[in-house]
């Protein structure tokens, strides 16, 4: 390369025989005895000057050049000085050629416009060229149709059309060249798709022609010929032996004779990367596969190099991070494995999800790190490194709803989730509504003593003014629970605890025939257990839920009267199609051990409202007192059926509800009342926004004609 460069440079100099400032030889009569130059015909006499007179000597040529500094780093000589030097003229001699080096003229004055700043790009406007007689809104275009041949035989036509450049153009293009370009892209697409299924000898040809002739409309045809299907020949994994033996072959699950399909091969390799870390190999690395195709046999020998890494067992937990949240001992409380067990990536993911569910981190990561320490049975001990950075611990939350029977209801809360580490939260909340007002304070410790167990103490005061009763209530409660959240939905949930309630309430006194007020002291031991197989907490589309509540209680008003509040509820969700879900709910309740009129009104059962039987006002169903107000009962039953149709982020839900409240101990199912309506849903990232409109069936005097319910989440 360097020699070639040099030769070019030399050639450039050799081609510079006529440099500026050098005169060419003049033609003259030759001297006696001299012949003509070799380059001229000898038949014509040519006179030439002597060489010592016609060629400028080197010394004179060098003297004629402008003098430059010997310092190669010196600045260039100003052009104005260079141009002002007088020309160098050689003295004339008889028969010699006179040469001189003329200086360049001084540059012209620069136009002042060049010194002005450029117009900012945002202010630069280009007016489109307008052509007379052309409607700019009707840009000339051609239409074309797309025909695909051959891909339907191997089930690829639908997929091809989904990815086709021709199909993306919707049958329109500016010109035929654009249609041809799209067709060439679709040729390549057809080849890629055929090869993805193992048809490596496939060909694809595109043609574009007028259809019909001389119409200006085009037809683009993609003709694919799949050829023979290639299948796997030898399947070979290059790796150290696993424990147990054959683990890689089992999880790869590629066998000779299988079609060489890209999705299948990639899925098999992904399965190895997923399953091996669940069985003791956290550091496995898959190399680059090699498939050697044989055109004669249409077979491909498959080779996959795998670097297993050590078979590992769980070790200790180490933490790092600029702003840590938990100490190691609390993180150890959240793990679901014991040190020394075979490494399982699912348990690492479980620990990561448990940390995320605390909502106390801005970032958190859990990853295995090698220690070099030997474990049992030839394994290596692997520690888990938890990288944690603290997030914002405070939360402001709010919820608002409306129903015709209950009016507006707004609830807000302020939470510091880690005021008492670890995971000791303080919650202040308030309720403001048309019929309810109250404030409460709660201390809650999550993962209290064991994972997923929550301990909380709550104190609050509340005023309720419903059609059935008006009450002023103070509550002190303690509870242990295992709860579901949208982030961490659990199959089994429960709570148990104790409540002490003081309540001043009004009721209809049937003995006096008038309303009076009374004060009750209520002690309760509420408990709950739930089983949930649904796929989503706020918007379930499949599965079922079963809930059971039991609360032994004693109310004291002059005398102690023990009783129990029992409730059983079941819901089910069945997807009819990808856009329609049938949802149903059934609920029954009973309060044994006490007469209805001895119960505090706030502890009785009521029905009607957005979470009960829609179409009726809140607490509107059931027995009524002589003054026409609901009095509640000791038992109830409720049923609901919905058809949830979703399209995009919107939905329509027709529904039918039924229910009744009874004075007796058992819900008899008599005198059932029905409500029907339709609802709208707006699906958001935190759950559906629900708007339901319903009306009673066989409405009675005094009952609502139309009931409206607005809230977040499905009705059940």
């Amino acid at each position: 390369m360097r020699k070639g460069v040099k030769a070019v440079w030399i050639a450039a100099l050799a081609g510079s025989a006529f440099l500026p400032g050098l005169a060419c030889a003049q033609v003259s009569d030759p001297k006696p005895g001299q012949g003509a130059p070799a380059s001229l015909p000898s038949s014509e006499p040519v006179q030439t000057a002597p060489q010592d007179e016609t060629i400028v000597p080197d010394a004179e040529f060098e003297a004629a050049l402008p003098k430059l500094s010997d310092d190669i780093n010196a600045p260039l000589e100003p052009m104005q000085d260079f141009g002002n030097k007088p020309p160098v003229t050689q003295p004339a001699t008889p028969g010699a050629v006179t040469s001189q080096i003329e200086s360049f003229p001084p540059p012209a004055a620069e136009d002042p416009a060049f010194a002005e700043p450029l117009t900012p790009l945002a202010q630069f406007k280009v007016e489109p060229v307008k052509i007379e007689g052309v409607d700019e809104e009707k840009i000339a275009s051609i239409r074309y149709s797309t025909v695909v041949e051959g891909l339907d035989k191997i089930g690829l036509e639908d997929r091809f059309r989904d990815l086709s450049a021709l199909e993306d153009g919707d049958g329109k293009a500016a010109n035929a060249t654009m249609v041809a370009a799209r067709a060439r892209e679709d040729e390549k697409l057809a080849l890629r798709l055929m090869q993805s299924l193992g048809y490596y000898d496939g060909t694809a040809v595109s043609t574009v022609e007028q259809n019909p002739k001389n119409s200006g409309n085009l037809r683009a045809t993609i003709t694919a010929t799949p050829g023979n299907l290639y299948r796997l020949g030898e399947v070979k994994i290059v790796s150290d032996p696993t424990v147990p033996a054959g683990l890689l072959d089992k999880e790869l699950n590629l066998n000779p004779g299988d079609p060489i399909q890209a999705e299948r091969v990639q899925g098999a390799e992904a399965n190895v990367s997923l399953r091996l870390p669940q069985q003791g190999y956290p550091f496995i690395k898959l190399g680059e596969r090699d498939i050697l195709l044989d055109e004669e046999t249409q077979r491909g020998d498959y080779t996959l190099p795998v670097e297993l890494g050590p078979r590992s067992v769980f070790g200790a937990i180490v933490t790092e991070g600029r702003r840590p949240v938990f100490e190691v001992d609390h993180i150890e409380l959240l793990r679901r494995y014991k040190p020394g067990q075979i490494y399982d990536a699912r348990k690492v993911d479980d620990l990561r999800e448990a940390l995320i569910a605390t909502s106390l981190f801005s970032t958190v990561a859990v990853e295995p790190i090698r220690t070099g320490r030997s474990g049992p049975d030839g394994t290596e001990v692997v520690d888990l490194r938890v990288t944690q950075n603290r997030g914002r611990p405070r939360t402001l939350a709010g919820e608002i709803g409306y129903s015709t029977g209950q009016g507006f209801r707004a609830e807000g809360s302020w939470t510091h989730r880690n005021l008492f580490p670890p995971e000791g939260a303080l919650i202040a909340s308030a309720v403001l509504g048309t019929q309810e007002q109250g404030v409460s304070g709660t201390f809650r410790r999550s993962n209290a003593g064991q994972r997923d167990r929550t301990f909380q103490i709550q104190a609050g005061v509340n005023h309720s003014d419903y059609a059935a009763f008006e009450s002023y209530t103070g509550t002190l409660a303690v509870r242990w629970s295992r709860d579901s959240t949208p982030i961490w939905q659990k199959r089994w949930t429960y709570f148990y605890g104790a409540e002490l309630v003081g309540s001043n309430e009004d009721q209809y006194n049937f003995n006096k025939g008038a309303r009076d007020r009374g004060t009750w002291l209520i002690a309760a031991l509420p408990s709950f257990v739930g089983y949930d197989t649904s796929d989503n907490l706020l918007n379930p589309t499949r599965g079922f839920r079963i809930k059971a509540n039991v609360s032994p209680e004693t109310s004291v008003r002059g005398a102690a009267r023990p009783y129990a509040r029992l409730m059983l509820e079941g819901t089910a969700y069945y997807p009819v199609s990808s856009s329609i879900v049938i949802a149903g709910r059934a609920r029954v309740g009973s309060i044994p051990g006490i007469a209805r009129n001895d119960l505090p009104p706030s502890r009785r059962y009521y029905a009607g409202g957005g979470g009960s039987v829609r179409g009726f006002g809140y607490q509107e169903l059931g027995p009524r007192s002589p003054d026409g107000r609901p009095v509640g009962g000791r038992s109830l039953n409720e049923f609901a059926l919905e058809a949830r149709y979703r399209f995009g982020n919107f939905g329509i839900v027709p529904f039918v509800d039924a229910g009744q409240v009874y004075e007796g101990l058992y819900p008899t199912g008599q005198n059932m009342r029905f409500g029907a309506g339709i609802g709208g849903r707006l699906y958001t990232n935190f759950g559906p926004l629900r708007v339901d409109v319903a009306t009673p069936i066989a409405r009675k005097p005094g009952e609502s004609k139309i009931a409206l319910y607005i809230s977040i989440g499905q009705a059940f």
Side-chain angles (χ1 to χ4, degrees):
M1 174 61 75
R2 296 182 64 85
K3 290 180 66 178
V5 171
K6 186 175 182 181
V8 171
W9 178 68
I10 291 174
L13 292 181
S16 303
F18 301 95
L19 294 174
L22 295 180
C24 297
Q26 293 181 349
V27 179
S28 60
D29 293 336
K31 289 184 178 182
Q34 286 184 330
S39 60
L40 295 175
S42 59
S43 61
E44 296 183 6
V46 178
Q47 182 178 0
T48 60
Q51 292 187 5
D52 57 349
E53 295 179 358
T54 59
I55 298 177
V56 179
D58 290 343
E60 294 180 7
F61 176 72
E62 294 291 343
L65 293 176
K67 299 300 182 181
L68 302 176
S69 173
D70 293 334
D71 185 3
I72 61 174
N73 296 320
L76 294 176
E77 184 178 347
M79 292 296 295
Q80 62 269 22
D81 296 337
F82 184 82
N84 292 333
K85 290 186 177 182
V88 178
T89 305
Q90 295 293 334
T93 58
V97 178
T98 302
S99 64
Q100 67 178 15
I101 300 177
E102 298 180 356
S103 62
F104 292 101
E110 187 181 61
D111 190 338
F114 287 106
E116 297 180 1
L118 295 175
T119 304
L121 189 60
Q123 301 177 6
F124 192 77
K125 297 181 179 180
V126 177
E127 296 294 337
V129 178
K130 296 183 178 180
I131 304 176
E132 295 183 1
V134 177
D135 188 353
E136 296 180 0
E137 296 182 357
K138 297 181 179 179
I139 302 175
S141 63
I142 62 174
R143 294 186 176 274
Y144 65 89
S145 59
T146 303
V147 178
V148 182
E149 298 177 351
L151 291 180
D152 57 333
K153 299 177 182 178
I154 56 176
L156 282 177
E157 182 170 346
D158 290 341
R159 188 172 181 184
F160 173 86
R161 290 187 180 276
D162 290 340
L163 303 173
S164 167
L166 288 168
E167 292 289 348
D168 285 345
D170 294 329
K172 298 178 183 179
N175 49 54
T177 303
M178 183 178 293
V179 178
R182 293 174 183 174
R184 288 192 296 270
E185 288 297 319
D186 281 358
E187 282 184 20
K188 302 175 184 178
L189 172 64
L191 287 174
R192 292 197 302 270
L193 290 177
M194 287 188 290
Q195 291 174 0
S196 71
L197 291 186
Y199 295 93
Y200 291 95
D201 291 337
T203 60
V205 178
S206 64
T207 58
V208 178
E209 57 187 355
Q210 291 197 21
N211 181 41
K213 293 183 178 181
N214 301 322
S215 65
N217 294 329
L218 301 179
R219 178 174 62 192
T221 303
I222 306 297
T223 304
T225 305
N228 294 323
L229 176 64
Y230 279 68
R231 298 180 180 273
L232 287 174
E234 181 185 8
V235 177
K236 182 180 180 181
I237 301 176
V238 181
S239 173
D240 295 332
T242 60
V243 179
L247 192 58
L248 283 170
D249 295 314
K250 174 186 174 183
E251 301 302 344
L252 184 66
N253 195 24
L254 290 178
N255 304 299
D258 290 344
I260 306 178
Q261 297 178 351
E263 289 183 354
R264 175 167 172 74
V265 172
Q266 292 172 354
E269 294 171 358
N271 190 63
V272 171
S273 298
L274 174 68
R275 291 285 297 155
L276 266 293
Q278 297 174 359
Q279 301 176 69
Y281 293 94
F283 305 106
I284 183 173
K285 295 181 180 179
L286 272 61
E288 185 175 353
R289 80 180 76 87
D290 179 53
I291 302 179
L292 181 61
L293 300 177
D294 188 335
E295 295 181 355
E296 294 183 358
T297 62
Q298 284 82 46
R299 293 276 173 168
D301 292 337
Y302 173 91
T303 303
L304 179 67
V306 176
E307 183 180 341
L308 274 178
R311 188 167 183 256
S312 306
V313 295
F314 283 114
I317 290 178
V318 295
T319 66
E320 65 177 37
R322 293 175 300 171
R323 303 178 64 195
V325 179
F326 297 140
E327 299 294 337
V328 171
D329 57 347
H330 190 69
I331 299 177
E332 291 176 344
L333 183 144
L334 300 178
R335 66 188 180 190
R336 295 190 189 276
Y337 65 86
K338 294 181 180 180
Q341 290 182 341
I342 292 295
Y343 182 94
D344 189 339
R346 291 169 294 188
K347 296 180 180 179
V348 179
D349 294 339
D350 177 79
L351 176 59
R352 183 186 301 108
E353 290 176 0
L355 292 169
I356 294 173
T358 65
S359 301
L360 294 174
F361 299 94
S362 60
T363 60
V364 61
V366 183
E367 57 184 343
I369 54 175
R370 297 187 61 173
T371 65
R373 302 194 306 270
S374 298
D377 301 326
T379 59
E380 180 179 319
V381 176
V382 170
D383 291 344
L384 292 186
R385 178 170 57 204
V386 178
T387 304
Q388 48 178 324
N389 290 303
R390 184 182 311 165
R392 297 180 178 179
R394 299 172 182 84
T395 300
L396 282 173
E399 181 179 346
I400 188 170
Y402 173 81
S403 66
T404 53
Q406 202 172 358
F408 286 99
R409 187 182 188 276
E411 182 174 358
S413 65
W414 172 90
T415 303
H416 192 302
R417 297 186 299 279
N418 204 34
L419 186 61
F420 307 98
E423 296 192 73
L426 181 64
I427 306 168
S429 60
V431 176
L432 181 62
T434 307
Q435 297 179 327
E436 181 181 5
Q437 306 85 38
V439 295
S440 66
T442 303
F443 167 77
R444 182 187 66 204
R445 185 175 298 281
S446 302
N447 298 306
Q450 69 180 41
R451 176 171 165 173
D452 296 332
R453 183 172 66 184
T454 301
F455 170 76
Q456 72 176 32
I457 300 175
Q458 183 179 34
V461 294
N462 182 273
H463 170 246
S464 300
D465 186 5
Y466 302 125
F469 63 88
E470 181 189 21
S471 67
Y472 296 89
T473 303
T475 304
L476 179 63
V478 60
R479 173 181 293 188
W480 289 264
S481 64
R482 185 177 191 267
D483 305 312
S484 273
T485 67
I487 297 178
W488 193 258
Q489 185 175 353
K490 302 176 179 66
R491 179 151 294 193
W492 285 99
T493 56
Y494 65 83
F495 73 75
Y496 59 90
E499 291 181 358
L500 188 62
V501 180
S503 181
N504 180 270
E505 306 177 13
D506 78 324
Q507 67 169 345
Y508 188 86
N509 191 322
F510 285 88
N511 295 327
K512 297 180 179 179
R515 305 191 71 86
D516 63 5
R517 301 192 67 87
T519 300
W520 285 266
L521 180 63
I522 304 166
L525 298 173
S527 61
F528 160 86
V529 62
Y531 183 71
D532 185 357
T533 68
S534 66
D535 59 343
N536 188 278
L537 191 64
L538 295 178
N539 184 37
T541 60
R542 64 178 68 247
F544 64 90
R545 299 170 181 170
I546 299 176
K547 304 176 184 178
N549 291 76
V550 177
S551 180
E553 299 181 5
T554 297
S555 65
V556 179
R557 186 188 181 194
R561 293 181 173 86
Y563 58 93
R565 303 176 79 238
L566 311 175
M567 181 78 72
L568 180 65
E569 179 178 337
T571 57
Y573 313 93
Y574 179 75
V576 177
S577 67
S578 59
S579 58
I580 299 177
V581 175
I582 301 299
R585 176 177 64 88
R587 177 191 295 169
V588 293
S590 178
I591 305 177
I594 192 173
R596 182 196 63 183
N597 294 339
D598 292 329
L599 268 173
S602 61
R603 312 301 282 190
R604 303 172 187 173
Y605 285 142
Y606 300 88
S612 178
V613 182
R614 288 163 288 185
F616 298 89
Y618 184 66
Q619 299 181 339
E620 194 173 62
L621 291 180
R624 291 179 176 268
S625 60
D627 59 2
R629 298 172 63 177
V631 295
R634 291 195 299 158
S635 62
L636 65 78
N637 51 16
E638 293 177 352
F639 305 93
L641 187 65
E642 291 188 345
R644 300 173 180 173
Y645 171 60
R646 177 171 179 173
F647 49 98
N649 290 326
F650 301 92
I652 298 175
V653 182
F655 57 85
V656 176
D657 293 351
Q660 189 57 275
V661 174
Y662 305 93
E663 181 179 352
L665 178 61
Y666 302 107
T668 63
Q670 298 178 353
N671 302 319
M672 293 286 291
R673 299 300 310 278
F674 295 86
I678 191 168
R681 302 290 185 269
L682 173 62
Y683 293 93
T684 67
N685 57 357
F686 56 85
L689 176 64
R690 174 169 68 103
V691 179
D692 289 339
V693 179
T695 185
I697 296 177
R699 188 178 69 89
K700 297 180 179 180
E703 293 179 342
S704 306
K705 294 182 179 179
I706 296 293
L708 174 66
Y709 312 95
I710 303 174
S711 66
I712 296 176
Q714 297 285 9
F716 54 87

